[in-house]
């Protein structure tokens, strides 16, 4: 890992998914946001989708309005909202659940510190690819411009393709988030060295272009140890964190992740 402290952002989607399995307000994502920040995490990530299967639009607004406690390090906590910028408003059709206002309208209402744009479709189970800048770059330019006027740092969800990454500065984005599922799958088989080298090459391309580097998707305590990416600034972890927190509790789980991220 990098010799600098890499920030840990905890994705709360699975906490909201547990709540949504019953007609209840519990667990409240705001409560768990404060719990992970008090345990030492640096930020909170949410990825609202139009069907509101897990985190909902009103959760995002509540998190934006809440005075999220500072992390134990004393640094101000950041809220990162992920999603497809072209996702339109959608009626919920469920009693007690507010309508989804559309991604950009939601971001305008919340004004989070960071917005991570992801090219997912409404029917995807989870994010499964990065942007193709050659096809979608022109559409992203006005979106990024608007987000910057709202004071948001903008990150683009990307596959580890240096040729694509080199096109991003012209769009005005600040960072990339490397989509790490392929690395995680390779790590499971014990044959991740060549795959990791692709991510390292992509990271070097990003740094050469003046872009910050985030990473996320299926990172966990096992594969994060070997995820040696130069100039990595932030990782977003949700699914694995939720499972680990059930095993060891929130404070111990956060401690274990931070121990890896602080390693030289």
């Amino acid at each position: 890992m990098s010799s600098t402290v890499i920030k840990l952002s905890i994705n709360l989607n699975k906490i909201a998914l547990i709540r949504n399995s019953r007609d209840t307000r519990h667990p409240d994502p705001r409560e768990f946001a404060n719990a992970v920040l008090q345990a030492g995490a640096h930020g909170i990530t949410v990825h609202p989708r139009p069907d509101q299967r897990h985190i909902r639009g009103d959760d995002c607004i509540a998190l934006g309005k809440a005075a999220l406690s500072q992390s134990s390090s004393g640094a101000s906590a950041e809220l990162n909202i992920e999603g497809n910028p072209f996702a339109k408003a959608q009626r919920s059709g469920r009693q007690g659940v507010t309508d989804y206002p559309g991604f950009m309208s939601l971001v305008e209402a919340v004004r989070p510190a960071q917005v991570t744009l992801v090219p997912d479709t409404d029917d995807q189970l989870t994010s499964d690819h990065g942007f193709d800048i050659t096809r979608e770059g022109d559409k992203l330019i006005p979106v990024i411009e608007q987000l910057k006027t709202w004071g948001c740092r903008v990150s683009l969800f990307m596959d580890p393709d240096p040729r694509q990454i080199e096109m991003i500065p012209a769009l005005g984005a600040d960072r990339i988030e490397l989509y790490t599922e392929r690395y995680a799958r390779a790590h499971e088989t014990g044959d991740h060295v060549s795959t990791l080298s692709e991510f390292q090459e992509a990271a070097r391309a990003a740094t050469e272009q003046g872009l910050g580097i985030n990473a996320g998707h299926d990172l966990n305590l096992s594969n994060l140890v070997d995820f040696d990416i130069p100039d990595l600034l932030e990782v977003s972890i949700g699914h694995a964190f939720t499972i680990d927190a059930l095993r060891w509790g929130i404070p111990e789980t956060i401690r274990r992740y931070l121990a890896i991220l602080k390693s030289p």
Side-chain angles (χ1 to χ4, degrees):
M1 301 299 294
S2 168
S3 60
T4 59
V5 176
I6 299 163
K7 290 187 176 181
L8 173 65
S9 185
I10 297 298
N11 189 310
L12 298 177
N13 279 18
K14 289 296 162 56
I15 299 299
L17 182 65
I18 295 170
R19 176 201 59 195
N20 294 357
S21 68
R22 300 286 294 273
D23 183 17
T24 178
R25 292 179 296 171
H26 305 288
D28 185 341
R30 289 174 298 177
E31 175 187 350
F32 280 79
N34 281 321
V36 300
L37 293 172
Q38 284 296 302
H42 304 97
I44 299 299
T45 291
V46 288
H47 188 148
R49 288 182 167 86
D51 63 8
Q52 304 196 96
R53 71 188 77 160
H54 32 58
I55 207 76
R56 296 169 178 164
D58 54 3
D59 292 322
C60 298
I61 292 172
L63 286 166
K65 290 180 178 179
L68 292 179
S69 61
Q70 292 183 330
S71 69
S72 61
S73 67
S76 298
E78 287 194 347
L79 178 61
N80 171 42
I81 296 184
E82 300 180 339
N84 189 325
F86 307 110
K88 304 299 184 184
Q90 183 171 309
R91 294 186 61 83
S92 74
R94 286 176 284 173
Q95 186 174 3
V97 178
T98 59
D99 296 339
Y100 179 75
F103 184 81
M104 292 297 285
S105 294
L106 186 57
V107 170
E108 182 181 16
V110 178
R111 309 288 178 101
Q114 179 171 266
V115 176
T116 301
L117 303 181
V118 183
D120 58 352
T121 59
D122 294 355
D123 58 354
Q124 281 180 225
L125 178 63
T126 186
S127 305
D128 62 12
H129 64 282
F131 278 105
D132 181 345
I133 302 302
T134 59
R135 292 193 302 108
E136 301 166 295
D138 288 346
K139 293 194 304 179
L140 289 171
I141 291 174
V143 170
I144 293 169
E145 288 177 350
Q146 181 63 76
L147 293 171
K148 300 292 282 291
T149 65
W150 291 336
C152 305
R153 183 171 68 240
V154 181
S155 179
L156 298 184
F157 198 63
M158 297 295 297
D159 297 308
D161 183 343
R163 294 170 300 176
Q164 293 278 336
I165 291 169
E166 289 167 359
M167 302 178 193
I168 292 176
L171 309 183
D174 305 289
R175 295 187 184 185
I176 62 168
E177 178 175 326
L178 289 169
Y179 168 47
T180 52
E181 182 181 16
R182 189 157 61 84
Y183 164 76
R185 297 290 82 77
H187 197 275
E188 287 178 349
T189 68
D191 187 23
H192 62 274
V193 174
S194 61
T195 302
L196 177 61
S197 68
E198 295 178 33
F199 282 85
Q200 292 170 332
E201 183 181 358
R204 285 190 287 269
T207 298
E208 288 172 0
Q209 296 298 324
L211 298 167
I213 304 165
N214 300 340
H217 204 96
D218 288 346
L219 294 174
N220 57 38
L221 289 170
S222 176
N223 59 44
L224 193 58
V225 173
D226 298 318
F227 193 60
D228 185 14
I229 297 297
D231 301 312
L232 183 61
L233 297 175
E234 176 182 296
V235 295
S236 174
I237 301 177
H239 185 86
F241 165 79
T242 307
I243 295 169
D244 293 333
L246 290 172
R247 291 191 180 108
W248 302 304
I250 289 174
E252 175 61 16
T253 298
I254 294 292
R255 186 195 69 77
R256 294 187 184 207
Y257 277 102
L258 291 179
I260 295 172
L261 295 174
K262 292 176 182 178
S263 297

